[in-house]
Amino acid sequence: MTIADERQSTIEQMVQRGKGILAADESQPTIAKRFAPINVESTEENRRAYRVLLFTALGIEDYISAVITFEETLDQISDDRVLLPEVLARRGIVPGIKVDKGTGPLALASGDLITYGLDGLAERLRHYKSQGARFAKWREVYSISEHNPTALGISANAEMLARYAAACQEQGIVPIVEPEVLIDGDHSLARCTEVTEAVQKEIFYALHRHHIVLEHMILKPNMVLPGKDHPVKASPEEIAAATLRVFRRTVPAAVPSINFLSGGLSPEQATANLNAMNAGYPDVPWLLSFSYGRALQQPVLQAWQGKAENIVTAQQAMLKRARLNGAAQRGEYLASMEASD
Ligand code: 13P
């Protein structure tokens, strides 16, 4: 198989109707933050036990085509001693890996962030691939204020995403390109529209300059939303309309799939918004699906509480959110389905 054939077969397995991606790639500080409210200590064993719970939930392979993992997970094993990437692969779920090293301030710039991790990336990708990872994820973060993101921040972040994507494609790995315009703040829907459009335009310009094969990548953006402290809330239909206006203007039809992040939305909001897009706009050129972290995992953590006797209930919570988001991918979700089990 050529490198291009490898990417093609990975993309075909990842991009399927009625399915989306589970983001289970929390870094050590982030997973500690998720465990804290349920009083679970972030030890290596607790992280292993939790990820085994997620990956072995019965039936999720009907709705989850791929899982983004964190570095540590790639060499952890299940209770019956199978490496976790292999546990996923045996269920027909594609294992992938978060490869960025988190954000810091963009030096000498006014308030924008930049993501680290390009140094040594090619070698790391080769190693992760030998451990079973077939796709990767890299996140750039943009916060909205009166002056941010600046034009410099937007172009520097786009350049990072494009260089990361090129390194992945060269190794036969499918890149998930994740620009997250944060929900924090009191900005309006119109301001989020303006920023997201500028961010996406710059990203596709950079991807073009770096010769990225658009057919072999997945875009993981924010939905276009008012800031969480903005006084006026938007309906799923308004969010769907604003989001698709931006993506129609900026994302080439060659990109096979747009998998949204949940970004602090509640599980129900994230599902309803995705459903409104698919129900209202069935003719868009891309698959519109999910790559949720918190919106899939919150109810699972709540049910689990770190206790072995809660594992089955927690796995049922995982299956329920996966199933409802699978329905939202098809535009067939109804709020009444929330109560049905
Ligand atoms: P959320 O869905 O919780 O935003 O997480 C998705 C993700 O992978 C962030 O990088």
Side-chain angles (χ1 to χ4, degrees), residues 23 25 137 139 178 180 220 261-264 291-295:
D25 59 331
K137 181 197 103 168
R139 172 174 175 257
E178 181 180 2
E180 177 171 5
K220 174 169 175 168
L261 58 93
S262 63
S291 175
Y292 295 160
R294 283 162 288 176

Side-chain angles (χ1 to χ4, degrees), residues 106 109 112-114 140-142 149-163 195 198-207 209-210:
L106 180 61
D112 288 322
L113 296 169
I114 195 83
E140 295 288 331
V141 182
Y142 308 80
T150 63
L152 171 66
I154 290 174
S155 73
N157 278 276
E159 191 69 13
M160 297 298 279
L161 281 170
R163 289 192 56 198
V195 170
V199 162
Q200 293 296 338
K201 273 211 155 64
E202 194 75 20
I203 287 169
F204 281 93
Y205 177 45
L207 294 174
R209 286 198 312 273
H210 286 265

Side-chain angles (χ1 to χ4, degrees), residues 48 52 76-84 86-87 90:
R48 187 199 69 85
V52 168
Q76 287 182 322
I77 54 174
S78 65
D79 300 344
D80 40 9
R81 311 194 60 76
V82 180
L83 283 160
L84 294 190
E86 180 62 20
V87 168
R90 283 186 193 171

Side-chain angles (χ1 to χ4, degrees), residues 18 30 36 39 46-47 68 102 111 118 150 155 188 193 199 207 211-212 215 237 279 285 308 311 314 316 329 340:
T30 304
N39 295 315
N46 286 341
R47 294 190 295 270
I68 316 171
L118 283 182
T150 63
S155 73
S188 64
T193 301
V199 162
L207 294 174
H211 310 292
I212 302 307
E215 289 82 353
E237 289 69 29
I311 287 176
Q316 285 163 352
Q329 194 297 308
S340 65

Side-chain angles (χ1 to χ4, degrees), residues 105-113 143-154:
L106 180 61
L108 299 183
S110 50
D112 288 322
L113 296 169
S143 48
I144 298 185
S145 71
E146 203 183 326
H147 303 292
N148 298 96
T150 63
L152 171 66
I154 290 174

